[in-house]
Amino acid sequence: MELHRSIQITSDGELEIAGCRATRLARDFGTPLHAFDEEMMRTKCREIRTSLMRHYPKVFVAYASKAFCSLAMCRLIHEESLGLDVCSGGELFTALEAGIPTENILFHGNSKTSQEIEMGVRVGVGRFVIDNLDELDLLSDISRKFRRRTHVEIRLNPGVEAHTHDYIKTGLIDSKFGLGITDGQAMKAVERVLASDYLVLEGIHSHIGSQILNVEPYVLAAQVVMDFVGDVKEKYGYSLREVNLGGGFGVRYKATDTPISLDEYSRRISQVIRESCHVQRLDLPCVVVEPGRYIVGEAGTTLYTVCAIKDIPGIRKYIMVDGGMSENPRVTLYQAEYEAILANRALEEPAETVSIAGKHCEEGDMLVIDGKMPQIQPGDLLAIPTTGAYHYSMASNYNRYPRPAVIFVKAGLADIVVERESYANLVARDRIPRRLAQAGAKEIRPHLPAAGNPG
Ligand code: LLP
């Protein structure tokens, strides 16, 4: 396969990630292991900002931390002068612990609890992105209670088809996200924010979906947003200072995937906004974007050790590895497709078609279906690229597997950024009610047949 920028092959045929041999990483940190190429993430942060700024004067880029959130990741984002989009109290807490200035934080979520809203208001997050009218009223009340002026964006539902997997489309009318335009809810929200003494209306937000590989839906959505901004100006004489066009930029999972050109995106978006402003006599707003996957997706690679191989002649050869749907649920959830590399013999030619199966107790727990691979043996090391986004952040402990370690790799150096979970971690929050803690024997105990002659 064609390799990603962060992955190289050494002359003796070993996969190398940002200057570290995969076999060394596996030996030092164990598998499964998520390895992130730090320099690649930094490059992506700079690419997106410079690309937008080449075409448009006022830009703010906020990393969507749901893609991968940890203290080190938040630090990296801050060092690269990006803001942070959080969508839960947990992500907000992580951002605060990492020392992200609160004015650089945007708080999202379609079902924010009153505790989360209170937390965001008290620390003074830069923007609340209001998703529905009930949230708006609660936010207004809580802001009044704490005598805080809260700066908000209103999330529109632009009604745009994003050509991605159904589960990650968010801009359709029948969606739990955002306020509709045609049913008047979005304008009602504007009216209520403008009437509130404690809410300050800064902008309009839209996010149409994720893993988008085509610029057109963005252009349509930007037009819808700008028309709405014009309507607000006309109706209330109020000039919105920012338009947030969300995230969603697709990345390359397989060699055949073709992400959109950032330059084209920036040029087309800039064109729509400039023209709208000209026609509707508006001042140029600041453009906010919230990429998640784009920044971390391709920078992440997961390493697995092959545990066993099962060949069903004429049917399928299963390569079973030491991870699976608990750290990559995307195959099961979205039928996502990945390619794997034999990391310890990366120069070997593909020899057969195999499927890579996870170790969970689910038939659907697969990582690669029908991939071309060299001859693989138990003990081999496999690498699956483009696992930086929505892998660790969606990981679970299904089957009580501890979550893997996460490392950042840079110029031959590897550092832990999230420790591997231990078995002790798994039971650390378990509690045994007193009535179950007593050791008293029951009269009848289940038992397996005694060892010996089955008779
Ligand atoms: N902004 C908002 C309001 C969002 O809801 C999202 C993602 C983003 C930004 C960032 O989108 P990105 O640039 O990462 O595509 N678990 C799914 C993806 C869910 C995306 C949710 N929202 C997956 O693994 O494909």
Side-chain angles (χ1 to χ4, degrees), residues 372-419:
K372 292 252 181 292
M373 296 292 291
Q375 286 283 336
I376 296 175
Q377 290 151 16
D380 276 339
L381 186 66
L382 297 187
I384 298 194
T386 316
T387 57
Y390 306 107
H391 279 237
Y392 193 80
S393 62
M394 301 211 304
S396 74
N397 288 124
Y398 181 41
N399 292 145
R400 287 240 144 169
Y401 288 134
R403 274 172 287 204
V406 184
I407 56 172
F408 279 5
V409 188
K410 186 178 172 175
L413 293 176
D415 292 292
I416 283 273
V417 298
V418 187
E419 295 277 357

Coordinates of all heavy atoms in Angstrom, one line a residue, residues 372-419:
K372 N -5.3 -7.8 1.4 CA -4.2 -8.5 0.8 C -3.0 -8.3 1.7 O -2.6 -7.2 2.0 CB -3.9 -7.9 -0.6 CG -4.9 -8.2 -1.6 CD -4.4 -9.2 -2.6 CE -5.4 -9.5 -3.7 NZ -6.6 -10.2 -3.2
M373 N -2.4 -9.5 2.2 CA -1.3 -9.4 3.2 C -0.3 -10.4 2.8 O -0.6 -11.4 2.2 CB -1.8 -9.7 4.6 CG -2.8 -8.7 5.2 SD -2.1 -7.1 5.5 CE -1.0 -7.4 6.9
P374 N 1.0 -10.2 3.2 CA 2.0 -11.3 3.1 C 1.6 -12.4 4.0 O 0.7 -12.3 4.8 CB 3.3 -10.6 3.6 CG 3.0 -9.2 3.6 CD 1.5 -9.0 3.8
Q375 N 2.4 -13.5 3.9 CA 2.2 -14.7 4.8 C 2.4 -14.2 6.3 O 3.4 -13.7 6.6 CB 3.2 -15.8 4.5 CG 2.9 -16.6 3.3 CD 1.7 -17.6 3.5 OE1 1.5 -18.0 4.6 NE2 1.0 -17.9 2.4
I376 N 1.4 -14.4 7.1 CA 1.5 -13.9 8.5 C 1.6 -15.1 9.5 O 1.0 -16.2 9.2 CB 0.3 -13.1 8.8 CG1 0.3 -11.8 8.0 CG2 0.3 -12.6 10.3 CD1 -1.0 -11.0 8.1
Q377 N 2.4 -14.9 10.5 CA 2.5 -16.0 11.6 C 2.1 -15.4 12.9 O 2.3 -14.2 13.2 CB 3.9 -16.5 11.6 CG 4.3 -17.3 10.4 CD 5.8 -17.1 10.2 OE1 6.6 -16.7 11.1 NE2 6.3 -17.5 9.0
P378 N 1.7 -16.3 13.8 CA 1.5 -15.8 15.2 C 2.8 -15.2 15.7 O 3.9 -15.6 15.4 CB 1.2 -17.1 16.0 CG 0.6 -18.1 15.0 CD 1.4 -17.7 13.7
G379 N 2.6 -14.1 16.4 CA 3.8 -13.4 16.9 C 4.2 -12.2 16.0 O 4.9 -11.3 16.5
D380 N 3.7 -12.2 14.8 CA 4.0 -11.0 13.9 C 3.3 -9.8 14.5 O 2.4 -9.8 15.3 CB 3.4 -11.3 12.5 CG 4.4 -12.1 11.7 OD1 5.6 -12.1 12.0 OD2 4.0 -12.7 10.7
L381 N 3.8 -8.6 14.0 CA 3.3 -7.3 14.4 C 2.6 -6.7 13.3 O 3.1 -6.5 12.2 CB 4.5 -6.5 14.9 CG 4.2 -5.1 15.5 CD1 3.5 -5.3 16.9 CD2 5.5 -4.3 15.7
L382 N 1.3 -6.3 13.5 CA 0.5 -5.6 12.5 C 0.4 -4.1 12.9 O 0.2 -3.8 14.0 CB -0.8 -6.2 12.3 CG -0.9 -7.7 11.9 CD1 -2.4 -8.1 11.6 CD2 -0.1 -7.9 10.6
A383 N 0.4 -3.3 11.8 CA 0.1 -1.9 12.0 C -1.1 -1.5 11.2 O -1.3 -1.9 10.1 CB 1.3 -1.0 11.6
I384 N -2.1 -0.8 11.9 CA -3.2 -0.2 11.1 C -3.1 1.3 11.2 O -3.2 1.9 12.3 CB -4.6 -0.8 11.7 CG1 -4.6 -2.3 11.5 CG2 -5.7 -0.1 11.0 CD1 -6.0 -2.9 11.7
P385 N -2.9 1.9 10.0 CA -2.8 3.4 10.0 C -4.2 4.1 10.1 O -5.2 3.4 9.9 CB -2.2 3.7 8.7 CG -1.7 2.4 8.1 CD -2.6 1.3 8.7
T386 N -4.1 5.4 10.3 CA -5.2 6.3 10.4 C -6.2 5.9 11.5 O -7.4 5.8 11.4 CB -6.0 6.4 9.1 OG1 -5.1 6.5 8.0 CG2 -6.9 7.6 9.0
T387 N -5.6 5.7 12.7 CA -6.4 5.3 13.9 C -6.4 6.4 14.9 O -6.7 6.2 16.1 CB -6.0 4.0 14.5 OG1 -4.6 4.2 14.8 CG2 -6.1 2.9 13.5
G388 N -6.0 7.6 14.5 CA -5.8 8.7 15.5 C -7.2 9.3 16.0 O -7.3 9.8 17.1
A389 N -8.2 9.3 15.1 CA -9.4 9.9 15.4 C -10.5 8.9 15.8 O -10.7 8.0 15.1 CB -9.9 10.8 14.3
Y390 N -11.3 9.2 16.9 CA -12.4 8.4 17.2 C -12.1 6.9 17.5 O -12.9 6.0 17.2 CB -13.5 8.6 16.2 CG -13.9 10.0 16.0 CD1 -13.6 10.7 14.8 CD2 -14.6 10.7 16.9 CE1 -13.9 12.0 14.6 CE2 -14.9 12.1 16.8 CZ -14.5 12.7 15.6 OH -14.8 14.0 15.4
H391 N -10.9 6.7 17.9 CA -10.5 5.3 18.3 C -10.4 5.3 19.8 O -11.2 4.8 20.5 CB -9.2 4.9 17.6 CG -9.4 4.4 16.2 ND1 -9.1 3.1 15.8 CD2 -10.0 5.0 15.2 CE1 -9.4 3.0 14.5 NE2 -10.0 4.1 14.1
Y392 N -9.3 6.0 20.3 CA -9.1 6.0 21.8 C -10.3 6.7 22.4 O -10.8 6.3 23.5 CB -7.8 6.7 22.2 CG -7.5 6.4 23.6 CD1 -6.9 5.2 24.0 CD2 -7.9 7.3 24.6 CE1 -6.7 5.0 25.3 CE2 -7.7 7.1 25.9 CZ -7.1 5.9 26.3 OH -6.9 5.6 27.6
S393 N -10.8 7.7 21.7 CA -11.9 8.5 22.4 C -13.2 7.7 22.4 O -14.1 8.0 23.2 CB -12.2 9.8 21.7 OG -12.5 9.6 20.3
M394 N -13.3 6.6 21.6 CA -14.5 5.8 21.7 C -14.2 4.4 22.2 O -15.1 3.5 22.1 CB -15.2 5.7 20.3 CG -15.5 7.0 19.6 SD -16.9 6.9 18.5 CE -16.4 5.7 17.4
A395 N -13.1 4.3 22.8 CA -12.7 3.0 23.3 C -13.6 2.6 24.5 O -14.0 3.4 25.3 CB -11.2 3.0 23.8
S396 N -13.7 1.3 24.7 CA -14.5 0.8 25.8 C -13.7 -0.3 26.5 O -12.6 -0.7 26.1 CB -15.8 0.2 25.4 OG -15.6 -1.1 24.7
N397 N -14.3 -0.8 27.6 CA -13.7 -2.0 28.3 C -14.4 -3.2 28.1 O -14.4 -4.2 28.9 CB -13.6 -1.7 29.8 CG -12.6 -0.6 30.2 OD1 -12.9 0.4 30.8 ND2 -11.4 -0.8 29.8
Y398 N -15.1 -3.3 26.9 CA -15.8 -4.5 26.6 C -15.0 -5.8 26.8 O -13.8 -5.8 26.4 CB -16.3 -4.5 25.2 CG -17.2 -5.7 24.8 CD1 -18.1 -6.2 25.7 CD2 -17.0 -6.2 23.5 CE1 -18.9 -7.3 25.3 CE2 -17.8 -7.3 23.2 CZ -18.7 -7.9 24.1 OH -19.5 -9.0 23.7
N399 N -15.6 -6.8 27.4 CA -14.9 -8.0 27.8 C -13.8 -7.8 28.9 O -12.9 -8.6 29.1 CB -14.2 -8.7 26.6 CG -15.2 -9.3 25.7 OD1 -15.0 -9.3 24.5 ND2 -16.4 -9.8 26.1
R400 N -13.9 -6.6 29.5 CA -12.9 -6.2 30.5 C -11.5 -6.3 29.9 O -10.6 -6.8 30.6 CB -13.1 -7.0 31.8 CG -14.3 -6.6 32.6 CD -13.9 -6.1 34.0 NE -14.8 -5.1 34.4 CZ -14.9 -4.6 35.6 NH1 -14.1 -5.1 36.6 NH2 -15.7 -3.6 35.9
Y401 N -11.3 -5.7 28.8 CA -10.0 -5.5 28.3 C -9.5 -4.1 28.7 O -10.3 -3.2 28.5 CB -9.9 -5.6 26.7 CG -10.1 -7.1 26.3 CD1 -11.0 -7.3 25.2 CD2 -9.4 -8.1 26.9 CE1 -11.2 -8.6 24.8 CE2 -9.6 -9.4 26.4 CZ -10.5 -9.7 25.4 OH -10.7 -10.9 25.0
P402 N -8.3 -4.0 29.2 CA -7.8 -2.7 29.6 C -7.6 -1.9 28.3 O -7.2 -2.4 27.3 CB -6.5 -3.0 30.3 CG -6.5 -4.5 30.6 CD -7.4 -5.1 29.6
R403 N -7.9 -0.6 28.4 CA -7.6 0.2 27.2 C -6.1 0.4 27.0 O -5.3 0.4 27.9 CB -8.3 1.6 27.4 CG -9.7 1.6 26.9 CD -10.4 2.8 27.2 NE -10.7 2.9 28.7 CZ -11.6 3.6 29.2 NH1 -12.4 4.3 28.5 NH2 -11.8 3.6 30.5
P404 N -5.7 0.5 25.7 CA -4.3 0.5 25.4 C -3.6 1.8 25.8 O -4.2 2.7 26.2 CB -4.3 0.5 23.8 CG -5.6 0.4 23.4 CD -6.6 0.5 24.5
A405 N -2.3 1.7 25.8 CA -1.5 2.9 26.0 C -1.5 3.8 24.8 O -1.7 3.3 23.7 CB 0.0 2.6 26.4
V406 N -1.3 5.1 25.0 CA -1.2 6.0 23.9 C 0.2 6.7 24.0 O 0.6 7.2 25.1 CB -2.3 7.1 23.9 CG1 -2.2 8.0 22.7 CG2 -3.7 6.5 24.0
I407 N 0.9 6.7 22.9 CA 2.2 7.4 22.9 C 2.3 8.5 21.8 O 1.6 8.4 20.8 CB 3.4 6.4 22.7 CG1 3.3 5.7 21.4 CG2 3.5 5.5 23.9 CD1 4.5 4.8 21.1
F408 N 3.1 9.5 22.1 CA 3.4 10.5 21.1 C 4.8 10.2 20.6 O 5.7 10.0 21.5 CB 3.3 12.0 21.6 CG 2.0 12.5 21.6 CD1 0.8 11.8 21.3 CD2 1.8 13.9 22.0 CE1 -0.5 12.3 21.4 CE2 0.5 14.4 22.0 CZ -0.6 13.7 21.7
V409 N 5.1 10.2 19.4 CA 6.4 9.8 18.8 C 6.9 11.0 18.0 O 6.1 11.6 17.2 CB 6.3 8.6 17.9 CG1 7.7 8.1 17.5 CG2 5.5 7.5 18.6
K410 N 8.2 11.3 18.3 CA 8.7 12.5 17.6 C 10.2 12.3 17.4 O 10.9 12.1 18.4 CB 8.4 13.8 18.4 CG 8.9 15.0 17.7 CD 8.5 16.2 18.5 CE 9.1 17.4 17.8 NZ 8.8 18.7 18.4
A411 N 10.7 12.3 16.2 CA 12.1 12.3 15.8 C 12.8 11.2 16.6 O 13.8 11.4 17.3 CB 12.7 13.6 16.1
G412 N 12.3 10.0 16.6 CA 12.9 8.8 17.2 C 12.7 8.7 18.7 O 13.1 7.8 19.4
L413 N 11.9 9.7 19.3 CA 11.6 9.6 20.8 C 10.2 9.2 21.0 O 9.3 9.8 20.2 CB 11.9 10.9 21.4 CG 13.3 11.4 21.5 CD1 13.4 12.8 22.1 CD2 14.1 10.4 22.3
A414 N 9.9 8.4 21.9 CA 8.5 8.0 22.2 C 8.1 8.3 23.6 O 8.9 8.0 24.5 CB 8.3 6.6 21.9
D415 N 7.0 9.0 23.9 CA 6.6 9.3 25.2 C 5.2 8.9 25.5 O 4.3 9.1 24.6 CB 6.6 10.8 25.5 CG 8.0 11.3 25.5 OD1 8.8 11.0 26.4 OD2 8.4 12.1 24.5
I416 N 4.9 8.3 26.6 CA 3.6 7.9 27.0 C 2.7 9.2 27.2 O 3.2 10.1 27.9 CB 3.6 7.2 28.4 CG1 4.1 5.7 28.2 CG2 2.3 7.2 29.1 CD1 3.0 4.8 27.9
V417 N 1.5 9.2 26.6 CA 0.6 10.3 27.0 C -0.6 9.8 27.7 O -1.3 10.6 28.4 CB 0.3 11.2 25.7 CG1 1.5 11.9 25.1 CG2 -0.5 10.4 24.7
V418 N -0.9 8.6 27.5 CA -2.0 7.9 28.3 C -1.4 6.5 28.7 O -1.1 5.8 27.8 CB -3.3 7.8 27.6 CG1 -4.4 7.3 28.6 CG2 -3.8 9.1 27.0
E419 N -1.4 6.3 30.0 CA -0.9 4.9 30.4 C -1.9 3.8 30.0 O -3.1 4.1 30.0 CB -0.8 4.9 32.0 CG 0.2 5.8 32.6 CD 1.6 5.2 32.6 OE1 1.8 4.1 32.2 OE2 2.5 6.0 33.1

